[in-house]
PDB file of all heavy atoms in Angstrom:
ATOM      1  N   GLY A 141       0.476  51.194 -33.147  1.00 71.00           N
ATOM      2  CA  GLY A 141       0.520  49.720 -33.128  1.00 71.00           C
ATOM      3  C   GLY A 141       1.198  49.122 -34.359  1.00 71.00           C
ATOM      4  O   GLY A 141       1.822  48.082 -34.309  1.00 71.00           O
ATOM      5  N   TYR A 142       1.156  49.872 -35.476  1.00 69.00           N
ATOM      6  CA  TYR A 142       1.666  49.385 -36.743  1.00 69.00           C
ATOM      7  C   TYR A 142       3.189  49.380 -36.740  1.00 69.00           C
ATOM      8  O   TYR A 142       3.795  48.425 -37.264  1.00 69.00           O
ATOM      9  CB  TYR A 142       1.151  50.316 -37.891  1.00 69.00           C
ATOM     10  CG  TYR A 142       1.419  49.822 -39.268  1.00 69.00           C
ATOM     11  CD1 TYR A 142       0.803  48.732 -39.810  1.00 69.00           C
ATOM     12  CD2 TYR A 142       2.345  50.480 -40.057  1.00 69.00           C
ATOM     13  CE1 TYR A 142       1.063  48.259 -41.078  1.00 69.00           C
ATOM     14  CE2 TYR A 142       2.659  50.042 -41.340  1.00 69.00           C
ATOM     15  CZ  TYR A 142       1.993  48.943 -41.853  1.00 69.00           C
ATOM     16  OH  TYR A 142       2.257  48.500 -43.112  1.00 69.00           O
ATOM     17  N   ILE A 143       3.797  50.436 -36.264  1.00 74.00           N
ATOM     18  CA  ILE A 143       5.276  50.580 -36.310  1.00 74.00           C
ATOM     19  C   ILE A 143       6.006  49.466 -35.562  1.00 74.00           C
ATOM     20  O   ILE A 143       6.900  48.801 -36.200  1.00 74.00           O
ATOM     21  CB  ILE A 143       5.700  51.971 -35.835  1.00 74.00           C
ATOM     22  CG1 ILE A 143       5.259  53.095 -36.833  1.00 74.00           C
ATOM     23  CG2 ILE A 143       7.249  52.031 -35.642  1.00 74.00           C
ATOM     24  CD1 ILE A 143       5.592  54.437 -36.409  1.00 74.00           C
ATOM     25  N   PRO A 144       5.686  49.184 -34.338  1.00 79.00           N
ATOM     26  CA  PRO A 144       6.488  48.103 -33.678  1.00 79.00           C
ATOM     27  C   PRO A 144       6.184  46.700 -34.304  1.00 79.00           C
ATOM     28  O   PRO A 144       7.133  45.868 -34.345  1.00 79.00           O
ATOM     29  CB  PRO A 144       5.970  48.166 -32.207  1.00 79.00           C
ATOM     30  CG  PRO A 144       4.696  48.880 -32.262  1.00 79.00           C
ATOM     31  CD  PRO A 144       4.807  49.844 -33.390  1.00 79.00           C
ATOM     32  N   ARG A 145       4.982  46.556 -34.801  1.00 77.00           N
ATOM     33  CA  ARG A 145       4.718  45.271 -35.467  1.00 77.00           C
ATOM     34  C   ARG A 145       5.574  45.093 -36.691  1.00 77.00           C
ATOM     35  O   ARG A 145       6.108  43.983 -36.956  1.00 77.00           O
ATOM     36  CB  ARG A 145       3.240  45.234 -35.872  1.00 77.00           C
ATOM     37  CG  ARG A 145       2.806  43.946 -36.616  1.00 77.00           C
ATOM     38  CD  ARG A 145       1.294  43.987 -36.811  1.00 77.00           C
ATOM     39  NE  ARG A 145       0.856  42.782 -37.511  1.00 77.00           N
ATOM     40  CZ  ARG A 145       0.733  42.711 -38.821  1.00 77.00           C
ATOM     41  NH1 ARG A 145       0.972  43.758 -39.564  1.00 77.00           N
ATOM     42  NH2 ARG A 145       0.289  41.548 -39.398  1.00 77.00           N
ATOM     43  N   ALA A 146       5.754  46.210 -37.474  1.00 74.00           N
ATOM     44  CA  ALA A 146       6.555  46.124 -38.660  1.00 74.00           C
ATOM     45  C   ALA A 146       8.053  45.913 -38.350  1.00 74.00           C
ATOM     46  O   ALA A 146       8.720  45.103 -38.951  1.00 74.00           O
ATOM     47  CB  ALA A 146       6.355  47.365 -39.521  1.00 74.00           C
ATOM     48  N   LEU A 147       8.532  46.627 -37.371  1.00 79.00           N
ATOM     49  CA  LEU A 147       9.944  46.588 -37.029  1.00 79.00           C
ATOM     50  C   LEU A 147      10.312  45.237 -36.471  1.00 79.00           C
ATOM     51  O   LEU A 147      11.511  44.795 -36.673  1.00 79.00           O
ATOM     52  CB  LEU A 147      10.281  47.712 -35.987  1.00 79.00           C
ATOM     53  CG  LEU A 147      10.123  49.122 -36.524  1.00 79.00           C
ATOM     54  CD1 LEU A 147      10.460  50.114 -35.393  1.00 79.00           C
ATOM     55  CD2 LEU A 147      11.078  49.361 -37.697  1.00 79.00           C
ATOM     56  N   LEU A 148       9.451  44.553 -35.743  1.00 83.00           N
ATOM     57  CA  LEU A 148       9.756  43.285 -35.126  1.00 83.00           C
ATOM     58  C   LEU A 148       9.394  42.055 -35.960  1.00 83.00           C
ATOM     59  O   LEU A 148       9.618  40.919 -35.566  1.00 83.00           O
ATOM     60  CB  LEU A 148       9.041  43.168 -33.765  1.00 83.00           C
ATOM     61  CG  LEU A 148       9.579  44.151 -32.672  1.00 83.00           C
ATOM     62  CD1 LEU A 148       8.629  44.033 -31.493  1.00 83.00           C
ATOM     63  CD2 LEU A 148      10.973  43.773 -32.302  1.00 83.00           C
ATOM     64  N   SER A 149       8.836  42.326 -37.165  1.00 82.00           N
ATOM     65  CA  SER A 149       8.216  41.175 -37.927  1.00 82.00           C
ATOM     66  C   SER A 149       9.243  40.069 -38.293  1.00 82.00           C
ATOM     67  O   SER A 149       8.950  38.903 -38.152  1.00 82.00           O
ATOM     68  CB  SER A 149       7.605  41.747 -39.187  1.00 82.00           C
ATOM     69  OG  SER A 149       8.552  42.401 -40.034  1.00 82.00           O
ATOM     70  N   VAL A 150      10.450  40.468 -38.750  1.00 82.00           N
ATOM     71  CA  VAL A 150      11.412  39.485 -39.156  1.00 82.00           C
ATOM     72  C   VAL A 150      11.890  38.638 -37.942  1.00 82.00           C
ATOM     73  O   VAL A 150      11.983  37.388 -37.979  1.00 82.00           O
ATOM     74  CB  VAL A 150      12.605  40.088 -39.892  1.00 82.00           C
ATOM     75  CG1 VAL A 150      13.658  39.089 -40.245  1.00 82.00           C
ATOM     76  CG2 VAL A 150      12.133  40.859 -41.123  1.00 82.00           C
ATOM     77  N   LEU A 151      12.277  39.349 -36.848  1.00 86.00           N
ATOM     78  CA  LEU A 151      12.636  38.630 -35.663  1.00 86.00           C
ATOM     79  C   LEU A 151      11.496  37.758 -35.105  1.00 86.00           C
ATOM     80  O   LEU A 151      11.759  36.600 -34.743  1.00 86.00           O
ATOM     81  CB  LEU A 151      12.999  39.602 -34.579  1.00 86.00           C
ATOM     82  CG  LEU A 151      13.308  39.091 -33.174  1.00 86.00           C
ATOM     83  CD1 LEU A 151      14.511  38.150 -33.238  1.00 86.00           C
ATOM     84  CD2 LEU A 151      13.571  40.193 -32.188  1.00 86.00           C
ATOM     85  N   ALA A 152      10.267  38.242 -35.134  1.00 85.00           N
ATOM     86  CA  ALA A 152       9.107  37.455 -34.657  1.00 85.00           C
ATOM     87  C   ALA A 152       8.917  36.217 -35.498  1.00 85.00           C
ATOM     88  O   ALA A 152       8.635  35.149 -34.992  1.00 85.00           O
ATOM     89  CB  ALA A 152       7.899  38.323 -34.685  1.00 85.00           C
ATOM     90  N   GLY A 153       9.127  36.309 -36.838  1.00 85.00           N
ATOM     91  CA  GLY A 153       8.978  35.144 -37.667  1.00 85.00           C
ATOM     92  C   GLY A 153       9.990  34.116 -37.340  1.00 85.00           C
ATOM     93  O   GLY A 153       9.689  32.878 -37.385  1.00 85.00           O
ATOM     94  N   THR A 154      11.233  34.516 -37.106  1.00 86.00           N
ATOM     95  CA  THR A 154      12.295  33.511 -36.724  1.00 86.00           C
ATOM     96  C   THR A 154      11.933  32.841 -35.375  1.00 86.00           C
ATOM     97  O   THR A 154      12.059  31.596 -35.291  1.00 86.00           O
ATOM     98  CB  THR A 154      13.652  34.225 -36.597  1.00 86.00           C
ATOM     99  OG1 THR A 154      13.967  34.817 -37.870  1.00 86.00           O
ATOM    100  CG2 THR A 154      14.752  33.251 -36.182  1.00 86.00           C
ATOM    101  N   LEU A 155      11.534  33.565 -34.427  1.00 84.00           N
ATOM    102  CA  LEU A 155      11.167  33.014 -33.141  1.00 84.00           C
ATOM    103  C   LEU A 155       9.925  32.098 -33.268  1.00 84.00           C
ATOM    104  O   LEU A 155       9.833  31.067 -32.539  1.00 84.00           O
ATOM    105  CB  LEU A 155      10.888  34.119 -32.119  1.00 84.00           C
ATOM    106  CG  LEU A 155      12.103  34.926 -31.741  1.00 84.00           C
ATOM    107  CD1 LEU A 155      11.731  36.081 -30.817  1.00 84.00           C
ATOM    108  CD2 LEU A 155      13.197  34.091 -31.134  1.00 84.00           C
ATOM    109  N   ALA A 156       8.991  32.416 -34.197  1.00 84.00           N
ATOM    110  CA  ALA A 156       7.843  31.549 -34.375  1.00 84.00           C
ATOM    111  C   ALA A 156       8.298  30.198 -34.952  1.00 84.00           C
ATOM    112  O   ALA A 156       7.623  29.192 -34.755  1.00 84.00           O
ATOM    113  CB  ALA A 156       6.881  32.213 -35.377  1.00 84.00           C
ATOM    114  N   ASP A 157       9.417  30.167 -35.700  1.00 84.00           N
ATOM    115  CA  ASP A 157       9.963  28.892 -36.156  1.00 84.00           C
ATOM    116  C   ASP A 157      10.728  28.136 -35.091  1.00 84.00           C
ATOM    117  O   ASP A 157      10.734  26.884 -35.030  1.00 84.00           O
ATOM    118  CB  ASP A 157      10.984  29.148 -37.328  1.00 84.00           C
ATOM    119  CG  ASP A 157      10.237  29.485 -38.616  1.00 84.00           C
ATOM    120  OD1 ASP A 157       9.088  29.067 -38.777  1.00 84.00           O
ATOM    121  OD2 ASP A 157      10.887  30.137 -39.505  1.00 84.00           O
ATOM    122  N   ARG A 158      11.337  28.884 -34.121  1.00 84.00           N
ATOM    123  CA  ARG A 158      12.137  28.204 -33.084  1.00 84.00           C
ATOM    124  C   ARG A 158      11.233  27.665 -31.954  1.00 84.00           C
ATOM    125  O   ARG A 158      11.559  26.680 -31.366  1.00 84.00           O
ATOM    126  CB  ARG A 158      13.107  29.217 -32.496  1.00 84.00           C
ATOM    127  CG  ARG A 158      14.237  29.610 -33.360  1.00 84.00           C
ATOM    128  CD  ARG A 158      15.028  30.816 -32.804  1.00 84.00           C
ATOM    129  NE  ARG A 158      15.650  30.496 -31.547  1.00 84.00           N
ATOM    130  CZ  ARG A 158      16.913  30.109 -31.400  1.00 84.00           C
ATOM    131  NH1 ARG A 158      17.719  29.962 -32.431  1.00 84.00           N
ATOM    132  NH2 ARG A 158      17.435  29.876 -30.220  1.00 84.00           N
ATOM    133  N   TRP A 159      10.149  28.355 -31.696  1.00 84.00           N
ATOM    134  CA  TRP A 159       9.354  28.018 -30.549  1.00 84.00           C
ATOM    135  C   TRP A 159       8.111  27.225 -30.909  1.00 84.00           C
ATOM    136  O   TRP A 159       7.801  27.064 -32.128  1.00 84.00           O
ATOM    137  CB  TRP A 159       8.866  29.346 -29.861  1.00 84.00           C
ATOM    138  CG  TRP A 159       9.954  30.185 -29.236  1.00 84.00           C
ATOM    139  CD1 TRP A 159      11.237  29.794 -28.983  1.00 84.00           C
ATOM    140  CD2 TRP A 159       9.867  31.509 -28.818  1.00 84.00           C
ATOM    141  NE1 TRP A 159      11.956  30.786 -28.421  1.00 84.00           N
ATOM    142  CE2 TRP A 159      11.127  31.880 -28.323  1.00 84.00           C
ATOM    143  CE3 TRP A 159       8.858  32.496 -28.845  1.00 84.00           C
ATOM    144  CZ2 TRP A 159      11.377  33.133 -27.857  1.00 84.00           C
ATOM    145  CZ3 TRP A 159       9.094  33.755 -28.362  1.00 84.00           C
ATOM    146  CH2 TRP A 159      10.368  34.102 -27.844  1.00 84.00           C
ATOM    147  N   ASN A 160       7.404  26.737 -29.930  1.00 88.00           N
ATOM    148  CA  ASN A 160       6.171  26.057 -30.110  1.00 88.00           C
ATOM    149  C   ASN A 160       5.120  27.074 -30.578  1.00 88.00           C
ATOM    150  O   ASN A 160       4.800  28.035 -29.901  1.00 88.00           O
ATOM    151  CB  ASN A 160       5.687  25.452 -28.779  1.00 88.00           C
ATOM    152  CG  ASN A 160       4.439  24.613 -28.934  1.00 88.00           C
ATOM    153  OD1 ASN A 160       3.488  25.005 -29.580  1.00 88.00           O
ATOM    154  ND2 ASN A 160       4.455  23.457 -28.307  1.00 88.00           N
ATOM    155  N   ARG A 161       4.616  26.892 -31.837  1.00 86.00           N
ATOM    156  CA  ARG A 161       3.791  27.909 -32.443  1.00 86.00           C
ATOM    157  C   ARG A 161       2.431  28.079 -31.700  1.00 86.00           C
ATOM    158  O   ARG A 161       1.852  29.142 -31.735  1.00 86.00           O
ATOM    159  CB  ARG A 161       3.533  27.607 -33.944  1.00 86.00           C
ATOM    160  CG  ARG A 161       4.797  27.820 -34.765  1.00 86.00           C
ATOM    161  CD  ARG A 161       4.696  27.213 -36.117  1.00 86.00           C
ATOM    162  NE  ARG A 161       5.911  27.467 -36.892  1.00 86.00           N
ATOM    163  CZ  ARG A 161       6.202  26.870 -38.056  1.00 86.00           C
ATOM    164  NH1 ARG A 161       5.335  25.968 -38.571  1.00 86.00           N
ATOM    165  NH2 ARG A 161       7.333  27.133 -38.647  1.00 86.00           N
TER     166      ARG A 161
END
Side-chain angles (χ1 to χ4, degrees):
Y142 187 73
I143 290 177
R145 179 175 180 267
L147 294 177
L148 290 172
S149 60
V150 177
L151 174 62
T154 300
L155 293 177
D157 284 336
R158 289 171 64 97
W159 296 345
N160 185 315
R161 289 169 180 167

